[in-house]
Amino acid sequence: MSLKVCKFGGTSMADGNIIAGVKKIIESDASRRFVVVSAPGKRFSGDIKITDLLYGCFAELKKCGTCKQAFAPIRARFVSIVKELGLDFDIQTVLDETQKRIDEECSEDFTASRGEYLSARVVAEVLGAKFIDAQDVVFFTADGALDGEKSYKAIASAVAGCERAVMPGYYGVDADGKVKTFSRGGSDISGAVVARAVNATLYENWTDVSGFLACDPRIVDSPKRIKSLSYKELRELSYMGANVLHGDSIFPVRRANIPICIKNTFRPDDEGTLILPSNRYVSGGNIVTGVAGKKNFSVIFIEKSHMNSETGFVRKVLSVVEEAGIPIEHIPSGIDTMSIVISSDALEGKLEQIIEGIKTAVQPDNIRVTENVALIATVGHGMSSSVGTSARLFNAIASADINIKMIDQGSSELNIVVGVNDSDYEKCIKAIYSEFFGS
Ligand code: ASP
């Protein structure tokens, strides 16, 4: 039997009329039983998301000992949402209590979590559904990771026998019982946790776009929509900057093979994008599924004769970077050369120390740094079985007169990453897109 978990993002919660549309969507399908919501997002460009207003509340609380002033626009927003919905719900009392608790708790995560809390209280009221507080059922371990097993059990028992239930996204509690949030956009993860807990047949993620696009629409005009992709392709694309869905949201559903569907609250009949486990994924015939990228990386190039026969060379180099507490993105290597690609933001203030550390650790013949490098990933399961894909990719880049500074093919043959100058980033994405998708 079909059982859907629906997560509605911030733009789907933006005002009362939109929430009325959400109610329609949920009630049009009896299998849409469990709902996870974000805090109200922007209503128009230039508007401020409730979550951002809440971070402002915390700043004011630290300065003045109360968040009263900064809380006023949040209060006004929820009052008007309840009014637009025509609900007989005493939101003022809930808001008074919330504001008081923010002051008492004096915790950034607690403050930030209240947007989702209030949204869920309203939506539960609208649907006449049970409200389940995430702080009672979503748990983090002492080292800050999601405690999946404990959360799945608690959610399953909280929803038992319940026709419909609503849970706020974005937060849970840490090992000391204090409210803790995921990283920004984390309600997507909360939705996946609920989907796993109730063993849903589908996790619907409702946003304001009709699915994933094959590349960034700010770079290519109306790129094609991706009808379906695998969890792995999604990971690659979201890691490289395609941000429709939080990149970590696949982890809870992946083990249980639950597909995710990205849907548009404002065009509910659009098909959306289906994200499938690799074993259920059938390629739509495209060699390339999507192209995504990020700017602002630094490449440390290290050269030393007979590097390949020197035991422990790579380990020593990587230890230097590890000791500086910096994550590495890629490590392309040759017989006598290796490069380390690192986000320039992460390197800030630490580059000198790392270069000196590497010199001391392995005495390279040559070491140099190239900055302002953009990484562009071309992703698709179809690439591994189709002869000539890389030739087409590199030809397209060469024909656009772009110099490639680095190439890394993931060992899964699922992606090819190229490094180019930041200034060639947009041009390179356009060239790859038009080669594989037509212009
Ligand atoms: N409201 C939170 C944010 O703005 C979480 C979410 O929307 O998923 O990041």
Side-chain angles (χ1 to χ4, degrees), residues 7 9-10 38-39 49 51-52 112 116 169-170 183-188:
K7 180 260 165 176
S38 282
K49 291 173 78 169
T51 307
D52 291 321
E116 273 69 15
Y170 194 38
S183 57
R184 293 300 300 265
S187 299
D188 287 339

Side-chain angles (χ1 to χ4, degrees), residues 298-302 338-340 342 351 354-355 367-369:
S298 300
V299 182
I300 304 175
F301 173 84
I302 305 156
M338 74 179 278
S339 300
I340 314 172
I342 298 175
L351 185 58
I354 287 180
I355 301 291
I367 179 163
R368 61 171 193 273
V369 181

Side-chain angles (χ1 to χ4, degrees), residues 75 89-99 118 121:
R75 178 182 289 276
F89 176 48
D90 183 9
I91 188 76
Q92 289 288 8
T93 303
V94 180
L95 288 162
D96 289 343
E97 173 68 13
T98 302
Q99 186 191 317
L118 292 166
R121 290 290 305 267

Side-chain angles (χ1 to χ4, degrees), residues 384-404:
S384 63
S385 54
S386 148
V387 178
T389 307
S390 45
R392 282 178 66 188
L393 175 72
F394 298 132
N395 255 324
I397 299 174
S399 307
D401 206 18
I402 296 166
N403 181 22
I404 300 179

